[in-house]
């Protein structure tokens, strides 16, 4: 169990560092639906982890760039910066505005779910994760986050199921190492 907690914390640190780093970057346009589909197809078929990481970065940028207005994107970026500075309350207040002003923006819900997780409010985080997944069913970050929460709550099988969903989308997902191999019968 101690090693599982260590892996959980390591994954969490990675997410904080990655999302904090990726947040302020801006691309000029979000990919069209077919380009978005192509990114997910490329991710699923990536030949190695390095290639998958590059594709993953492009998907994260597409999710961030899907903000419906520059004002929403600015609030999201500021919230992510605050989160990176451990100002979780300040980040959450901004993200409350983001999800109120742009309820169809999946990444707003995902980022607020992450802040709720960091605040230890797992139920609220799970609610926002469900909203994220309703808007973007392929959101491997939300699926992975849901897995972390379930496993933290001792609901290991639900966590493993969610993590397996995420790995089907992103075979090189960092958290894949947290999967427990199913026990079977040797015949």
């Amino acid at each position: 169990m101690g090693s599982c907690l260590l892996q959980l914390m390591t994954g969490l640190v990675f997410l904080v560092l990655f999302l904090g780093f990726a947040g302020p970057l801006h691309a000029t346009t979000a990919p069209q639906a077919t380009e978005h589909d192509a990114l997910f197809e490329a991710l699923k078929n990536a030949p190695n982890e390095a290639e998958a990481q590059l594709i993953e970065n492009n998907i994260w940028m597409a999710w961030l760039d899907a903000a419906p207005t520059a004002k929403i994107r600015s609030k999201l970026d500021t919230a992510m910066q605050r989160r990176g500075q451990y100002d979780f309350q300040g980040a959450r207040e901004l993200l409350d505005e983001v999800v109120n002003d742009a309820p169809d923006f999946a990444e707003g819900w995902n980022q607020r779910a992450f802040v709720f997780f960091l605040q230890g409010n797992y139920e609220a985080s799970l609610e926002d994760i469900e909203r994220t997944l309703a808007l973007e069913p392929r959101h491997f970050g939300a699926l992975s986050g849901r897995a972390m929460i379930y496993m933290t709550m001792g609901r290991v099988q639900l966590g493993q199921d969610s993590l397996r969903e995420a790995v089907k989308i992103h075979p090189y997902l960092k958290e894949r190492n947290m999967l427990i191999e199913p026990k079977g019968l040797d015949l």
Side-chain angles (χ1 to χ4, degrees), residues 90-177:
R92 205 196 85 220
E93 289 169 4
L94 279 170
L95 291 167
D96 287 345
E97 292 177 27
V98 167
V99 299
N100 285 330
D101 295 345
D104 294 331
F105 176 42
E107 197 54 31
W109 293 102
N110 184 59
Q111 291 300 319
R112 192 172 79 164
F114 189 34
V115 170
F116 278 136
F117 173 81
L118 294 172
Q119 291 179 312
N121 189 344
Y122 300 143
E123 292 304 322
S125 183
L126 286 170
E127 288 175 21
D128 281 5
I129 287 170
E130 292 310 314
R131 292 291 300 264
T132 303
L133 293 170
L135 295 165
E136 173 51 271
R138 300 175 293 190
H139 202 301
F140 51 81
L143 288 165
S144 176
R146 183 172 69 184
M148 300 299 168
I149 291 169
Y150 283 149
M151 288 190 277
T152 300
M153 296 172 77
R155 300 166 74 182
V156 176
Q157 188 57 55
L158 284 173
Q160 289 290 301
D161 292 346
S162 190
L163 193 51
R164 286 186 204 302
E165 280 183 69
V167 170
K168 282 181 187 172
I169 297 164
H170 185 347
Y172 289 100
L173 187 73
K174 298 249 185 269
E175 293 83 0
R176 73 187 183 278
N177 295 321

Side-chain angles (χ1 to χ4, degrees), residues 52-68:
Q53 184 63 52
L54 293 172
I55 299 164
E56 177 185 330
N57 292 347
N58 287 328
I59 291 171
W60 278 109
M61 290 311 303
W63 285 335
L64 293 167
D65 288 339

Side-chain angles (χ1 to χ4, degrees), residues 31-43 59 136 138:
Q32 301 296 332
T34 55
E35 292 171 345
H36 205 176
D37 291 341
L39 283 171
F40 279 100
E41 189 63 26
L43 181 64
I59 291 171
E136 173 51 271
R138 300 175 293 190

Side-chain angles (χ1 to χ4, degrees), residues 2 21 29 61 73 76-77 86 90 104 114 117 121 127 129 141 178 185:
F21 173 74
T29 60
M61 290 311 303
R73 177 60 192 260
L76 183 74
D77 288 345
Y86 300 95
D104 294 331
F114 189 34
F117 173 81
N121 189 344
E127 288 175 21
I129 287 170
M178 295 179 69
L185 297 174

